[in-house]
Amino acid sequence: MNLMLKVTNLSKKFKDTNAVTNLSFTVNQGDVYGFLGQNGAGKSTTLRMLLKLITPTNGTIEYFEKNIDHDKNEMLRQTGAIIERPDLYKYLSAYDNLRIFAKMSGIKASRTVIMQQLETAGLADRYQSKVKTFSQGMKQRLGIAIALIHEPKLVILDEPTNGLDPQGIADMRNMILRLSKEMGKTVIVSSHLLNEIEVVANRMIIIHKGKKVVEGNVKELLDPANTLLQIETTNDADALYKLEQSKWANFLENNGRYIRLRLNKNDIPSLASSLSNMDIGVLALQPRHSLEDYFLSLTNNDTHVEPFTN
Amino acid sequence: MKKLLIVCLLLSTGFVQAQDINTLLNKAKAKIETVNDYEASAVMKTNVAFLKVPIAKVKIYFKKPNKLKLKSERGISFIPKGAVSLNLNNLTGSDKFKVIDAGTDNIKGIVVRVATLLPADKTGDVILSTVYIDEARSLILKAETTTRDNGTYALEMTYGTYAAFGLPDKLIFSFNAKDYKLPKGVTFDFDDGAAPNMPKEKDPEKRKKGKAELVFKSYTINKGVDDTIFLNK
Amino acid sequence: MWSLLQIELYKISKRPRTYIAFIAIAGIVLIIQAAFKADPGYLNILLQNVDDTFAVDKGNVINGYFMCYMILNTLLIQVPILVALVAGDAISGEANMGTLRLLLTKPISRQKIIGVKFLASIIYTVALLVFMALLALFLSMIIFGTNDLLVFRSKNGESEILQITQDDVMWRYLAAFVYAAIALTVIAALALLLSVFAENSIGPIVATVCIVIVCTIISNLNVPIIDRTIKPWLFTSYLVGWKGFFYIAYDAENVPIKGSMENWASIRNSLFILFAHIGVFFGAAVFFFKKKDILS
């Protein structure tokens, strides 16, 4: 695996608020890298720092082992991006928007190439229409066409599904997968929804209040073998005793208050039948993916959260 | 225009009583009377404090008895209204003035006879006129008119080639010009910063003195001048 | 650089607001021309008692050159607003539309982007002036013909009429338009600087106009202490400096000297101060734009 992007101790302070604090992460070539965090967690600030829209207060960003501050626009030349909304020149046509940004990306796009891109975006028949007449989805598709016109190696999509209808969201997911699988692009995609990241990303980072919570392989982080199951019974002490004697003893995770087992999701049916065989009066079985659980706790309770440990 | 016509009238009338001076005036008149009309080219230099105008090429047309027109060949011309009285030609006998022999004077080294003309009508604008005549050549070198309301006008003439016709080569017309004041709010002026240091014209009266200097290049005499030239367009 | 400039000019050309200025200028010029054609009475106000002493061929006074001078005199004061309309929108307009962040993720340095935008604003300003010259000068020359130019002015509290012969006029207009372009570039640089800080274009446009108005008022206060201290450093003191090209020098006998200027040193000084303002405003714009965090 080829290291594309290495971010070290990145911080950004706006006046009194720390938007991002000591954030470090790496993106490998070919990754679909998920950026997960609530609104205001610092996702956008971080992505904008990657794109040189915001100057970091501290820290370094290396692109193929070269500091992007020293290596002027090498990274930008190979990057396509949509930051938040795909805002374009409303008073210009789709064609003109694409042509202008192609030129600004430093490539000479012929009419044929531009029309091809518009075709791919499904906008070929509207190429002369002004962007202000476009729907959100059309703008989004045009924005992506613009992000891709100069054939970047890296595509950064900040909250690409914001404001899209379900069909649009589905299209976006497919597009990200196609970018990665068919076109071999490295993609960084941010979202505040875990399930969006889960279906497209291979690696991910969760940030909260500008700090890294966890970074890693999505498969590992969301490993079904790593499901935490909480059991409520009619008699917890009895149930715990019986479980300690059973083959499930190794899966028990005792925290004193609840009965919890860490096990593979697939084993839950088998556990359920064991419980019934052992005459344990089950009130509830609550399978919780640990990461999801954790992320939910962030969303529900904004006051204080312990760092996640896997 | 009016005032200068009066000057003409003054000049052209009443050399009755002072026999000697009248003879001289009549001699000068006789010379001028040989000219029925003329067309002259001249350059005019106007010198008035508020008026910065270039030297203009002008044409002067005259026809007896007292038609005179001054035209600029090109550009915009500021022609002193009195300038139309530049002709001394139509000296005609009249008894509306009392001519007094005022002795002799000296203009640029030439001894001249001075005649003072007093109008019979004492309520008019003109108080008196003074004419300076070169006795040897019978040419009027200078004429001054003092008016009640408009100060003093003067004509000074230098003769050369056309002296035989009583036509000057050079003529300086001095007059009073009302001071010019630009209406407020008309300009939005550029202050070049140098202004406060520039010396102001000390004597406000000096601003009111105007001078027009005419240098004649050529005359075409008695070849006929179309009357339409004198019409005001 | 050239292709970036082309893009910038293309964008400007596609915005309706670009044409407001051209329409406004055309409107004012045509109205003034029509008014003078219909009733040249204004001249009687100007010439006042000159009429008593001199016969002036008024038909020649109102000519194309004179009309242009009149029009520039009334119009050039307003043009800063029109320049601000485009230059004040340069950065803030993109921020407002949301295109700034897309623009700045392109592999182009920020100096270049703001430089091109400044250049485009200057080109727009020059285009306005060329348009003005076409209408105010050349159209007037067609409608009113040409003759000598009379310049009416007041100097040290005394009024003067300067006559410039017609063969001595054209270069003065050329110089005056170049001067006006430089003076208006100061406005463009100021508007651009303010544009860097704003996220909508109304703010910088209004702020520019306000600054110009306030400084113009101060420039025209005629309070001695201000005259000595602040005034020489205000760019607004020099916005009407184009007139200096029409203040022809004259000799001791009040005869204008063809091809001359009364006070070239002061015009040179004005130009120097205007260029200094351009340098400071644009320099500051680049400095702050480079440092700016794009949050729009």
Side-chain angles (χ1 to χ4, degrees), chain B residues 45 47 50 52 75-76 79 81 178 180-182 186 188-189 195, chain C residues 42 46 51-53 55 147 156-157 159 161 163 243 247 253-254:
Chain B
K45 191 156 94 181
N47 187 350
F50 69 80
K52 320 295 182 190
I76 297 164
I79 295 167
K81 289 198 168 168
K178 282 186 185 165
Y180 177 62
K181 236 355 185 193
L182 199 59
V186 169
F188 202 96
D189 246 309
Chain C
Y42 179 72
L46 273 180
D51 258 356
D52 296 347
T53 321
N147 211 314
N156 298 335
S159 304
I161 299 171
Q163 182 174 354
K243 287 185 179 182
Y247 294 164
E253 290 181 298
N254 291 324

PDB file of all heavy atoms in Angstrom, chain B residues 45 47 50 52 75-76 79 81 178 180-182 186 188-189 195, chain C residues 42 46 51-53 55 147 156-157 159 161 163 243 247 253-254:
ATOM      1  N   LYS B  45      -3.628  90.368 -30.730  1.00  0.00           N
ATOM      2  CA  LYS B  45      -3.204  89.841 -29.441  1.00  0.00           C
ATOM      3  C   LYS B  45      -4.057  90.521 -28.382  1.00  0.00           C
ATOM      4  O   LYS B  45      -4.026  91.738 -28.246  1.00  0.00           O
ATOM      5  CB  LYS B  45      -1.720  90.142 -29.228  1.00  0.00           C
ATOM      6  CG  LYS B  45      -1.116  89.427 -28.063  1.00  0.00           C
ATOM      7  CD  LYS B  45       0.386  89.281 -28.263  1.00  0.00           C
ATOM      8  CE  LYS B  45       1.126  90.428 -27.590  1.00  0.00           C
ATOM      9  NZ  LYS B  45       2.589  90.331 -27.798  1.00  0.00           N
ATOM     10  N   ASN B  47      -4.963  91.122 -24.527  1.00  0.00           N
ATOM     11  CA  ASN B  47      -4.342  90.996 -23.213  1.00  0.00           C
ATOM     12  C   ASN B  47      -5.291  91.524 -22.145  1.00  0.00           C
ATOM     13  O   ASN B  47      -5.372  92.710 -21.886  1.00  0.00           O
ATOM     14  CB  ASN B  47      -3.014  91.760 -23.211  1.00  0.00           C
ATOM     15  CG  ASN B  47      -2.243  91.527 -21.931  1.00  0.00           C
ATOM     16  OD1 ASN B  47      -2.766  90.960 -20.972  1.00  0.00           O
ATOM     17  ND2 ASN B  47      -0.994  91.965 -21.914  1.00  0.00           N
ATOM     18  N   PHE B  50      -8.197  88.132 -17.146  1.00  0.00           N
ATOM     19  CA  PHE B  50      -8.945  86.875 -16.969  1.00  0.00           C
ATOM     20  C   PHE B  50      -9.014  86.043 -18.238  1.00  0.00           C
ATOM     21  O   PHE B  50      -9.496  84.919 -18.229  1.00  0.00           O
ATOM     22  CB  PHE B  50     -10.351  87.146 -16.422  1.00  0.00           C
ATOM     23  CG  PHE B  50     -11.271  87.834 -17.398  1.00  0.00           C
ATOM     24  CD1 PHE B  50     -11.909  87.106 -18.395  1.00  0.00           C
ATOM     25  CD2 PHE B  50     -11.515  89.200 -17.306  1.00  0.00           C
ATOM     26  CE1 PHE B  50     -12.756  87.728 -19.278  1.00  0.00           C
ATOM     27  CE2 PHE B  50     -12.368  89.817 -18.195  1.00  0.00           C
ATOM     28  CZ  PHE B  50     -12.988  89.088 -19.187  1.00  0.00           C
ATOM     29  N   LYS B  52      -7.232  84.186 -21.230  1.00  0.00           N
ATOM     30  CA  LYS B  52      -5.985  83.682 -21.777  1.00  0.00           C
ATOM     31  C   LYS B  52      -6.277  83.143 -23.169  1.00  0.00           C
ATOM     32  O   LYS B  52      -6.629  81.976 -23.320  1.00  0.00           O
ATOM     33  CB  LYS B  52      -5.411  82.571 -20.907  1.00  0.00           C
ATOM     34  CG  LYS B  52      -5.528  82.789 -19.403  1.00  0.00           C
ATOM     35  CD  LYS B  52      -4.730  83.977 -18.912  1.00  0.00           C
ATOM     36  CE  LYS B  52      -4.862  84.098 -17.397  1.00  0.00           C
ATOM     37  NZ  LYS B  52      -4.302  85.357 -16.897  1.00  0.00           N
ATOM     38  N   GLY B  75     -10.996  79.271 -35.234  1.00  0.00           N
ATOM     39  CA  GLY B  75     -11.057  79.207 -33.783  1.00  0.00           C
ATOM     40  C   GLY B  75     -12.090  80.154 -33.216  1.00  0.00           C
ATOM     41  O   GLY B  75     -12.873  80.763 -33.944  1.00  0.00           O
ATOM     42  N   ILE B  76     -12.064  80.232 -31.906  1.00  0.00           N
ATOM     43  CA  ILE B  76     -13.013  81.088 -31.222  1.00  0.00           C
ATOM     44  C   ILE B  76     -12.345  82.431 -30.994  1.00  0.00           C
ATOM     45  O   ILE B  76     -11.187  82.498 -30.583  1.00  0.00           O
ATOM     46  CB  ILE B  76     -13.408  80.473 -29.864  1.00  0.00           C
ATOM     47  CG1 ILE B  76     -14.102  79.142 -30.101  1.00  0.00           C
ATOM     48  CG2 ILE B  76     -14.286  81.422 -29.080  1.00  0.00           C
ATOM     49  CD1 ILE B  76     -14.179  78.280 -28.868  1.00  0.00           C
ATOM     50  N   ILE B  79     -13.585  89.267 -29.513  1.00  0.00           N
ATOM     51  CA  ILE B  79     -13.302  90.535 -30.170  1.00  0.00           C
ATOM     52  C   ILE B  79     -13.829  91.656 -29.279  1.00  0.00           C
ATOM     53  O   ILE B  79     -15.021  91.725 -29.000  1.00  0.00           O
ATOM     54  CB  ILE B  79     -13.946  90.573 -31.563  1.00  0.00           C
ATOM     55  CG1 ILE B  79     -13.260  89.495 -32.417  1.00  0.00           C
ATOM     56  CG2 ILE B  79     -13.798  91.948 -32.185  1.00  0.00           C
ATOM     57  CD1 ILE B  79     -13.959  89.191 -33.679  1.00  0.00           C
ATOM     58  N   LYS B  81     -15.520  94.632 -28.085  1.00  0.00           N
ATOM     59  CA  LYS B  81     -16.627  95.235 -28.819  1.00  0.00           C
ATOM     60  C   LYS B  81     -16.252  96.585 -29.394  1.00  0.00           C
ATOM     61  O   LYS B  81     -16.682  96.955 -30.459  1.00  0.00           O
ATOM     62  CB  LYS B  81     -17.846  95.331 -27.912  1.00  0.00           C
ATOM     63  CG  LYS B  81     -18.410  93.948 -27.656  1.00  0.00           C
ATOM     64  CD  LYS B  81     -19.811  93.965 -27.142  1.00  0.00           C
ATOM     65  CE  LYS B  81     -20.378  92.560 -27.207  1.00  0.00           C
ATOM     66  NZ  LYS B  81     -21.635  92.441 -26.480  1.00  0.00           N
ATOM     67  N   LYS B 178     -14.923  94.522 -17.771  1.00  0.00           N
ATOM     68  CA  LYS B 178     -15.484  94.165 -16.466  1.00  0.00           C
ATOM     69  C   LYS B 178     -14.775  92.920 -15.971  1.00  0.00           C
ATOM     70  O   LYS B 178     -14.478  92.021 -16.753  1.00  0.00           O
ATOM     71  CB  LYS B 178     -16.980  93.861 -16.612  1.00  0.00           C
ATOM     72  CG  LYS B 178     -17.814  95.117 -16.709  1.00  0.00           C
ATOM     73  CD  LYS B 178     -19.281  94.753 -16.694  1.00  0.00           C
ATOM     74  CE  LYS B 178     -20.136  95.995 -16.911  1.00  0.00           C
ATOM     75  NZ  LYS B 178     -21.513  95.643 -17.260  1.00  0.00           N
ATOM     76  N   TYR B 180     -14.159  89.321 -14.562  1.00  0.00           N
ATOM     77  CA  TYR B 180     -14.959  88.125 -14.806  1.00  0.00           C
ATOM     78  C   TYR B 180     -15.031  87.277 -13.553  1.00  0.00           C
ATOM     79  O   TYR B 180     -14.024  87.040 -12.889  1.00  0.00           O
ATOM     80  CB  TYR B 180     -14.324  87.337 -15.942  1.00  0.00           C
ATOM     81  CG  TYR B 180     -15.017  86.046 -16.229  1.00  0.00           C
ATOM     82  CD1 TYR B 180     -16.351  86.033 -16.653  1.00  0.00           C
ATOM     83  CD2 TYR B 180     -14.365  84.830 -16.070  1.00  0.00           C
ATOM     84  CE1 TYR B 180     -16.993  84.849 -16.913  1.00  0.00           C
ATOM     85  CE2 TYR B 180     -15.000  83.639 -16.325  1.00  0.00           C
ATOM     86  CZ  TYR B 180     -16.317  83.658 -16.745  1.00  0.00           C
ATOM     87  OH  TYR B 180     -16.956  82.485 -16.995  1.00  0.00           O
ATOM     88  N   LYS B 181     -16.230  86.829 -13.227  1.00  0.00           N
ATOM     89  CA  LYS B 181     -16.405  85.950 -12.071  1.00  0.00           C
ATOM     90  C   LYS B 181     -17.167  84.706 -12.539  1.00  0.00           C
ATOM     91  O   LYS B 181     -18.284  84.807 -13.028  1.00  0.00           O
ATOM     92  CB  LYS B 181     -17.243  86.680 -11.036  1.00  0.00           C
ATOM     93  CG  LYS B 181     -16.816  86.911  -9.623  1.00  0.00           C
ATOM     94  CD  LYS B 181     -15.737  86.480  -8.980  1.00  0.00           C
ATOM     95  CE  LYS B 181     -15.036  86.402  -7.768  1.00  0.00           C
ATOM     96  NZ  LYS B 181     -13.677  85.957  -8.040  1.00  0.00           N
ATOM     97  N   LEU B 182     -16.513  83.596 -12.360  1.00  0.00           N
ATOM     98  CA  LEU B 182     -17.166  82.343 -12.742  1.00  0.00           C
ATOM     99  C   LEU B 182     -18.315  82.074 -11.767  1.00  0.00           C
ATOM    100  O   LEU B 182     -18.138  82.184 -10.566  1.00  0.00           O
ATOM    101  CB  LEU B 182     -16.133  81.223 -12.650  1.00  0.00           C
ATOM    102  CG  LEU B 182     -16.400  79.937 -13.398  1.00  0.00           C
ATOM    103  CD1 LEU B 182     -16.554  80.212 -14.879  1.00  0.00           C
ATOM    104  CD2 LEU B 182     -15.251  78.978 -13.174  1.00  0.00           C
ATOM    105  N   VAL B 186     -20.144  75.994 -10.763  1.00  0.00           N
ATOM    106  CA  VAL B 186     -20.019  75.547 -12.145  1.00  0.00           C
ATOM    107  C   VAL B 186     -18.872  74.562 -12.299  1.00  0.00           C
ATOM    108  O   VAL B 186     -18.960  73.587 -13.014  1.00  0.00           O
ATOM    109  CB  VAL B 186     -19.850  76.748 -13.092  1.00  0.00           C
ATOM    110  CG1 VAL B 186     -19.450  76.296 -14.469  1.00  0.00           C
ATOM    111  CG2 VAL B 186     -21.155  77.519 -13.156  1.00  0.00           C
ATOM    112  N   PHE B 188     -15.799  72.032 -10.569  1.00  0.00           N
ATOM    113  CA  PHE B 188     -15.385  71.237  -9.433  1.00  0.00           C
ATOM    114  C   PHE B 188     -13.885  71.232  -9.552  1.00  0.00           C
ATOM    115  O   PHE B 188     -13.324  70.460 -10.300  1.00  0.00           O
ATOM    116  CB  PHE B 188     -15.952  69.827  -9.583  1.00  0.00           C
ATOM    117  CG  PHE B 188     -16.052  69.093  -8.296  1.00  0.00           C
ATOM    118  CD1 PHE B 188     -17.252  69.077  -7.603  1.00  0.00           C
ATOM    119  CD2 PHE B 188     -14.968  68.432  -7.779  1.00  0.00           C
ATOM    120  CE1 PHE B 188     -17.351  68.396  -6.415  1.00  0.00           C
ATOM    121  CE2 PHE B 188     -15.063  67.755  -6.586  1.00  0.00           C
ATOM    122  CZ  PHE B 188     -16.261  67.732  -5.900  1.00  0.00           C
ATOM    123  N   ASP B 189     -13.239  72.169  -8.867  1.00  0.00           N
ATOM    124  CA  ASP B 189     -11.899  72.467  -9.325  1.00  0.00           C
ATOM    125  C   ASP B 189     -10.793  71.608  -8.770  1.00  0.00           C
ATOM    126  O   ASP B 189     -10.858  71.102  -7.673  1.00  0.00           O
ATOM    127  CB  ASP B 189     -11.588  73.927  -9.142  1.00  0.00           C
ATOM    128  CG  ASP B 189     -11.407  74.586 -10.498  1.00  0.00           C
ATOM    129  OD1 ASP B 189     -10.623  74.053 -11.289  1.00  0.00           O
ATOM    130  OD2 ASP B 189     -12.084  75.581 -10.755  1.00  0.00           O
ATOM    131  N   ALA B 195      -1.366  76.725  -5.738  1.00  0.00           N
ATOM    132  CA  ALA B 195      -2.162  77.950  -5.733  1.00  0.00           C
ATOM    133  C   ALA B 195      -1.845  78.939  -4.599  1.00  0.00           C
ATOM    134  O   ALA B 195      -1.614  80.109  -4.875  1.00  0.00           O
ATOM    135  CB  ALA B 195      -3.633  77.604  -5.746  1.00  0.00           C
TER     136      ALA B 195
ATOM    137  N   TYR C  42     -26.748  77.571 -21.186  1.00  0.00           N
ATOM    138  CA  TYR C  42     -25.766  77.427 -20.115  1.00  0.00           C
ATOM    139  C   TYR C  42     -24.560  78.325 -20.354  1.00  0.00           C
ATOM    140  O   TYR C  42     -23.962  78.849 -19.431  1.00  0.00           O
ATOM    141  CB  TYR C  42     -25.334  75.963 -20.054  1.00  0.00           C
ATOM    142  CG  TYR C  42     -24.299  75.658 -19.013  1.00  0.00           C
ATOM    143  CD1 TYR C  42     -24.626  75.653 -17.657  1.00  0.00           C
ATOM    144  CD2 TYR C  42     -22.995  75.347 -19.376  1.00  0.00           C
ATOM    145  CE1 TYR C  42     -23.674  75.365 -16.707  1.00  0.00           C
ATOM    146  CE2 TYR C  42     -22.041  75.062 -18.427  1.00  0.00           C
ATOM    147  CZ  TYR C  42     -22.387  75.061 -17.083  1.00  0.00           C
ATOM    148  OH  TYR C  42     -21.436  74.776 -16.144  1.00  0.00           O
ATOM    149  N   LEU C  46     -22.113  80.989 -18.083  1.00  0.00           N
ATOM    150  CA  LEU C  46     -20.661  80.925 -17.998  1.00  0.00           C
ATOM    151  C   LEU C  46     -20.016  82.228 -18.450  1.00  0.00           C
ATOM    152  O   LEU C  46     -19.064  82.706 -17.846  1.00  0.00           O
ATOM    153  CB  LEU C  46     -20.135  79.794 -18.881  1.00  0.00           C
ATOM    154  CG  LEU C  46     -20.057  78.411 -18.276  1.00  0.00           C
ATOM    155  CD1 LEU C  46     -19.511  77.447 -19.310  1.00  0.00           C
ATOM    156  CD2 LEU C  46     -19.175  78.402 -17.048  1.00  0.00           C
ATOM    157  N   ASP C  51     -19.666  89.061 -22.077  1.00  0.00           N
ATOM    158  CA  ASP C  51     -20.485  89.519 -23.188  1.00  0.00           C
ATOM    159  C   ASP C  51     -20.487  91.040 -23.357  1.00  0.00           C
ATOM    160  O   ASP C  51     -20.619  91.546 -24.451  1.00  0.00           O
ATOM    161  CB  ASP C  51     -21.937  89.070 -22.945  1.00  0.00           C
ATOM    162  CG  ASP C  51     -22.255  87.856 -23.787  1.00  0.00           C
ATOM    163  OD1 ASP C  51     -21.384  87.457 -24.567  1.00  0.00           O
ATOM    164  OD2 ASP C  51     -23.373  87.326 -23.659  1.00  0.00           O
ATOM    165  N   ASP C  52     -20.370  91.742 -22.241  1.00  0.00           N
ATOM    166  CA  ASP C  52     -20.440  93.197 -22.300  1.00  0.00           C
ATOM    167  C   ASP C  52     -19.234  93.787 -23.025  1.00  0.00           C
ATOM    168  O   ASP C  52     -19.334  94.778 -23.720  1.00  0.00           O
ATOM    169  CB  ASP C  52     -20.485  93.795 -20.887  1.00  0.00           C
ATOM    170  CG  ASP C  52     -21.745  93.371 -20.158  1.00  0.00           C
ATOM    171  OD1 ASP C  52     -22.654  92.846 -20.839  1.00  0.00           O
ATOM    172  OD2 ASP C  52     -21.828  93.560 -18.929  1.00  0.00           O
ATOM    173  N   THR C  53     -18.101  93.153 -22.797  1.00  0.00           N
ATOM    174  CA  THR C  53     -16.869  93.719 -23.334  1.00  0.00           C
ATOM    175  C   THR C  53     -16.472  93.110 -24.670  1.00  0.00           C
ATOM    176  O   THR C  53     -15.859  93.741 -25.498  1.00  0.00           O
ATOM    177  CB  THR C  53     -15.720  93.495 -22.329  1.00  0.00           C
ATOM    178  OG1 THR C  53     -16.231  93.690 -21.016  1.00  0.00           O
ATOM    179  CG2 THR C  53     -14.587  94.451 -22.575  1.00  0.00           C
ATOM    180  N   ALA C  55     -17.242  90.526 -28.106  1.00  0.00           N
ATOM    181  CA  ALA C  55     -18.140  89.786 -28.981  1.00  0.00           C
ATOM    182  C   ALA C  55     -17.574  88.372 -29.089  1.00  0.00           C
ATOM    183  O   ALA C  55     -16.437  88.196 -29.495  1.00  0.00           O
ATOM    184  CB  ALA C  55     -18.182  90.450 -30.350  1.00  0.00           C
ATOM    185  N   ASN C 147     -13.723  72.826 -32.520  1.00  0.00           N
ATOM    186  CA  ASN C 147     -13.184  74.179 -32.544  1.00  0.00           C
ATOM    187  C   ASN C 147     -12.257  74.310 -31.350  1.00  0.00           C
ATOM    188  O   ASN C 147     -11.949  73.320 -30.696  1.00  0.00           O
ATOM    189  CB  ASN C 147     -14.317  75.203 -32.475  1.00  0.00           C
ATOM    190  CG  ASN C 147     -13.956  76.474 -33.229  1.00  0.00           C
ATOM    191  OD1 ASN C 147     -12.861  76.994 -33.074  1.00  0.00           O
ATOM    192  ND2 ASN C 147     -14.865  76.939 -34.063  1.00  0.00           N
ATOM    193  N   ASN C 156      -7.024  80.906  -7.432  1.00  0.00           N
ATOM    194  CA  ASN C 156      -6.784  81.882  -6.366  1.00  0.00           C
ATOM    195  C   ASN C 156      -7.988  82.792  -6.184  1.00  0.00           C
ATOM    196  O   ASN C 156      -7.856  83.980  -5.946  1.00  0.00           O
ATOM    197  CB  ASN C 156      -5.585  82.761  -6.679  1.00  0.00           C
ATOM    198  CG  ASN C 156      -4.325  81.953  -6.795  1.00  0.00           C
ATOM    199  OD1 ASN C 156      -4.230  80.874  -6.224  1.00  0.00           O
ATOM    200  ND2 ASN C 156      -3.372  82.464  -7.536  1.00  0.00           N
ATOM    201  N   GLY C 157      -9.151  82.242  -6.363  1.00  0.00           N
ATOM    202  CA  GLY C 157     -10.359  83.036  -6.177  1.00  0.00           C
ATOM    203  C   GLY C 157     -10.672  83.952  -7.340  1.00  0.00           C
ATOM    204  O   GLY C 157     -11.626  84.708  -7.312  1.00  0.00           O
ATOM    205  N   SER C 159     -11.416  84.260 -11.494  1.00  0.00           N
ATOM    206  CA  SER C 159     -11.865  83.418 -12.597  1.00  0.00           C
ATOM    207  C   SER C 159     -11.052  83.680 -13.851  1.00  0.00           C
ATOM    208  O   SER C 159     -10.571  84.796 -14.066  1.00  0.00           O
ATOM    209  CB  SER C 159     -13.332  83.683 -12.868  1.00  0.00           C
ATOM    210  OG  SER C 159     -14.061  83.467 -11.686  1.00  0.00           O
ATOM    211  N   ILE C 161     -10.623  82.442 -18.148  1.00  0.00           N
ATOM    212  CA  ILE C 161     -11.050  81.665 -19.308  1.00  0.00           C
ATOM    213  C   ILE C 161      -9.784  81.337 -20.098  1.00  0.00           C
ATOM    214  O   ILE C 161      -9.040  82.239 -20.479  1.00  0.00           O
ATOM    215  CB  ILE C 161     -12.032  82.459 -20.187  1.00  0.00           C
ATOM    216  CG1 ILE C 161     -13.281  82.812 -19.376  1.00  0.00           C
ATOM    217  CG2 ILE C 161     -12.414  81.651 -21.426  1.00  0.00           C
ATOM    218  CD1 ILE C 161     -14.206  83.781 -20.083  1.00  0.00           C
ATOM    219  N   GLN C 163      -8.141  79.580 -23.380  1.00  0.00           N
ATOM    220  CA  GLN C 163      -8.488  79.101 -24.713  1.00  0.00           C
ATOM    221  C   GLN C 163      -7.375  78.216 -25.243  1.00  0.00           C
ATOM    222  O   GLN C 163      -6.212  78.615 -25.285  1.00  0.00           O
ATOM    223  CB  GLN C 163      -8.710  80.291 -25.659  1.00  0.00           C
ATOM    224  CG  GLN C 163      -9.134  79.838 -27.049  1.00  0.00           C
ATOM    225  CD  GLN C 163      -9.500  81.025 -27.940  1.00  0.00           C
ATOM    226  OE1 GLN C 163      -9.536  82.163 -27.488  1.00  0.00           O
ATOM    227  NE2 GLN C 163      -9.759  80.736 -29.196  1.00  0.00           N
ATOM    228  N   LYS C 243      -7.855  67.582 -14.926  1.00  0.00           N
ATOM    229  CA  LYS C 243      -8.050  68.941 -15.436  1.00  0.00           C
ATOM    230  C   LYS C 243      -6.728  69.675 -15.631  1.00  0.00           C
ATOM    231  O   LYS C 243      -6.643  70.600 -16.429  1.00  0.00           O
ATOM    232  CB  LYS C 243      -8.920  69.734 -14.468  1.00  0.00           C
ATOM    233  CG  LYS C 243     -10.365  69.313 -14.495  1.00  0.00           C
ATOM    234  CD  LYS C 243     -11.153  70.239 -13.610  1.00  0.00           C
ATOM    235  CE  LYS C 243     -12.618  69.883 -13.622  1.00  0.00           C
ATOM    236  NZ  LYS C 243     -13.365  70.827 -12.801  1.00  0.00           N
ATOM    237  N   TYR C 247      -5.066  73.001 -18.098  1.00  0.00           N
ATOM    238  CA  TYR C 247      -4.655  74.301 -17.596  1.00  0.00           C
ATOM    239  C   TYR C 247      -3.374  74.690 -18.316  1.00  0.00           C
ATOM    240  O   TYR C 247      -2.271  74.430 -17.875  1.00  0.00           O
ATOM    241  CB  TYR C 247      -4.489  74.263 -16.079  1.00  0.00           C
ATOM    242  CG  TYR C 247      -5.788  74.024 -15.340  1.00  0.00           C
ATOM    243  CD1 TYR C 247      -5.808  73.629 -14.009  1.00  0.00           C
ATOM    244  CD2 TYR C 247      -7.017  74.205 -15.980  1.00  0.00           C
ATOM    245  CE1 TYR C 247      -7.002  73.414 -13.332  1.00  0.00           C
ATOM    246  CE2 TYR C 247      -8.214  73.994 -15.316  1.00  0.00           C
ATOM    247  CZ  TYR C 247      -8.198  73.598 -13.993  1.00  0.00           C
ATOM    248  OH  TYR C 247      -9.377  73.386 -13.335  1.00  0.00           O
ATOM    249  N   GLU C 253       1.965  88.250 -21.210  1.00  0.00           N
ATOM    250  CA  GLU C 253       0.903  89.031 -21.844  1.00  0.00           C
ATOM    251  C   GLU C 253      -0.391  88.233 -21.957  1.00  0.00           C
ATOM    252  O   GLU C 253      -1.246  88.520 -22.778  1.00  0.00           O
ATOM    253  CB  GLU C 253       1.359  89.501 -23.219  1.00  0.00           C
ATOM    254  CG  GLU C 253       2.441  90.548 -23.108  1.00  0.00           C
ATOM    255  CD  GLU C 253       2.897  91.047 -24.463  1.00  0.00           C
ATOM    256  OE1 GLU C 253       3.412  90.205 -25.229  1.00  0.00           O
ATOM    257  OE2 GLU C 253       2.723  92.229 -24.743  1.00  0.00           O
ATOM    258  N   ASN C 254      -0.500  87.199 -21.114  1.00  0.00           N
ATOM    259  CA  ASN C 254      -1.714  86.383 -21.035  1.00  0.00           C
ATOM    260  C   ASN C 254      -2.020  85.609 -22.308  1.00  0.00           C
ATOM    261  O   ASN C 254      -3.166  85.287 -22.588  1.00  0.00           O
ATOM    262  CB  ASN C 254      -2.928  87.244 -20.663  1.00  0.00           C
ATOM    263  CG  ASN C 254      -2.830  87.734 -19.238  1.00  0.00           C
ATOM    264  OD1 ASN C 254      -2.333  87.013 -18.371  1.00  0.00           O
ATOM    265  ND2 ASN C 254      -3.271  88.947 -18.987  1.00  0.00           N
TER     266      ASN C 254
END
